[in-house]
Amino acid sequence: MRVGLLTGGGDVPGLNAAIRAVVKRGEGEHGHTVVGFRHGWRGLADGDVMPLTRPHIRNVLATGGTLLGTARYHPHADDGGIDAVLATLEEERIEALICVGGDGTLHAASKVAEAGVRIVAVPKTIDNDVWGTDRSIGFDTAVTIATEAVDRIHTTAESHNRVMIVEVMGRHAGWIAACSGIAGGAELVLAPEEPFDIDRVVRFLRHRHRAHASFSIIVVAEGAVPAEGSSMTYQTQLGPFGEIVAGAIGERLGAEIAERTGFDTRVTVLGHVQRGGTPTPSDRILGSRFGVAAVDAVSAGASGVMTALRGDEVVLVPLAEIAGKVKQVPSDLLEVAGTLA
């Protein structure tokens, strides 16, 4: 077969491992020709094509980002977008499509599958909020980076007797915040799943600094918000593509804490640092497993499904089951984060 491959949405470490696995497994085991589309769904709609053979994937396993490039474009949301995608697939004689992405890319995949295209999707997002899979490509690297940042901030916070706020990504789910907060020993973790009460935060900090410590670390997800009826009002700041403005909640939280407590408070916004650099071994392995599973699935005639990690097993789940759903952090994990403060 001629198999198309694209990576959409935000880049994450481990994407090149998935691309490499699709090419090596597709060529070597199944005898397929793999064709890449640059810049996600936009490249597929525009016919921006590149060949993907073994020379193209040499030495990419440890490289972050995606050799195919990516873009935040969804053909079902653009007038004529689906028709343009179908025209390119017909012109390039693509018999099956593998798309790697987060919730937006996967939603687009389900719409294209409804148009009759054989599609297998692969979940990637540092937010780890794709429904139906225990883990998405990129999450482990992001948590590792965030944890290292919290570790480093501990020493300067203690040296200067400061409250240090570390803002991490996580619009709808606080997986990075919860996991890096626990691993890094943060005093407080604020996540979208549980709106916070600024008065309780302030009371906690005052008590801690009076009783036994002169510094505190707070990890806050970018999508965290104050609870309704609490004394802090805040409207989530969004950019032109609906993305949360990096640093908005961190800076506002820092200002509130400094004003209410008088403590020297500083903010560190990790932002795109969490997406960049060398993928961890776990993300390389997961990307490789998902890539192999995806090309095996299209070879077996599967369509409208997504590769997923359930425990230690890679399985296929219907795209229709995950549409519109967000995998949030379970309350017991957030409780662990709070208990260890």
Side-chain angles (χ1 to χ4, degrees):
M1 289 194 298
R2 282 176 63 82
V3 178
L5 175 64
L6 64 85
T7 55
D11 66 295
V12 305
L15 285 174
N16 286 327
I19 295 169
R20 173 179 177 270
V22 169
V23 174
K24 294 192 78 169
R25 181 75 163 184
E27 280 190 359
E29 183 69 21
H30 300 290
H32 299 325
T33 297
V34 182
V35 176
F37 294 99
R38 296 184 180 91
H39 310 303
W41 290 107
R42 168 61 72 184
L44 181 50
D46 293 344
D48 192 351
V49 183
M50 67 173 286
L52 282 176
T53 61
R54 284 178 177 265
H56 295 96
I57 56 161
R58 193 164 291 135
N59 299 322
V60 302
L61 190 60
T63 305
T66 164
L67 65 88
L68 286 175
T70 187
R72 296 187 184 278
Y73 169 79
H74 304 135
H76 62 285
D78 188 26
D79 188 29
I82 295 289
D83 290 338
V85 164
L86 296 177
T88 298
L89 293 174
E90 182 177 3
E91 182 178 346
E92 294 296 329
R93 296 176 288 111
I94 302 298
E95 300 167 73
L97 182 65
I98 296 172
C99 54
V100 189
D103 53 359
T105 300
L106 300 182
H107 184 56
S110 68
K111 294 297 184 182
V112 175
E114 289 173 4
V117 179
R118 186 191 300 181
I119 283 186
V120 172
V122 173
K124 66 88 208 161
T125 169
I126 65 170
D127 290 346
N128 200 41
D129 60 354
V130 173
W131 184 271
T133 181
D134 293 346
R135 189 66 57 89
S136 296
I137 301 171
F139 173 63
D140 186 75
T141 303
V143 171
T144 299
I145 292 168
T147 301
E148 181 179 350
V150 175
D151 287 345
R152 292 176 179 274
I153 283 171
H154 258 104
T155 57
T156 187
E158 189 168 8
S159 297
H160 289 274
N161 300 332
R162 286 172 174 158
V163 175
M164 300 291 279
I165 297 170
V166 181
E167 183 185 304
V168 299
M169 287 185 172
R171 176 175 180 176
H172 300 296
W175 285 98
I176 298 175
C179 293
S180 65
I182 293 170
E187 277 66 58
L188 286 172
V189 171
L190 306 180
E193 289 83 352
E194 295 183 356
F196 62 90
D197 184 339
I198 189 63
D199 293 320
R200 292 185 63 184
V201 170
V202 166
R203 284 197 300 270
F204 170 83
L205 292 173
R206 284 176 174 159
H207 173 75
R208 171 179 161 81
H209 287 224
R210 257 195 326 263
H212 59 85
S214 60
F215 74 98
S216 295
I217 308 291
I218 301 173
V219 177
V220 58
E222 62 183 356
V225 293
E228 288 188 20
S230 63
S231 63
M232 174 180 167
T233 58
Y234 174 77
Q235 184 71 37
T236 301
Q237 306 297 303
L238 301 180
F241 299 102
E243 76 282 8
I244 291 182
V245 175
I249 185 61
E251 294 293 343
R252 177 61 188 281
L253 183 63
E256 291 280 345
I257 290 172
E259 181 180 349
R260 293 168 185 251
T261 65
F263 298 151
D264 188 8
T265 306
R266 303 298 173 90
V267 180
T268 299
V269 181
L270 297 187
H272 289 83
V273 170
Q274 296 158 92
R275 294 189 182 277
T278 303
T280 60
S282 291
D283 273 328
R284 299 183 204 188
I285 293 167
L286 185 62
S288 299
R289 294 184 72 188
F290 278 171
V292 167
V295 78
D296 284 352
V298 297
S299 301
S303 183
V305 295
M306 179 189 79
T307 63
L309 187 69
R310 299 280 179 86
D312 291 327
E313 185 181 3
V314 175
V315 299
L316 299 177
V317 297
L319 281 171
E321 286 186 9
I322 67 173
K325 297 179 181 178
V326 175
K327 185 186 72 175
Q328 295 190 312
V329 180
S331 57
D332 62 327
L333 188 60
L334 292 174
E335 184 179 355
V336 170
T339 299
L340 298 179

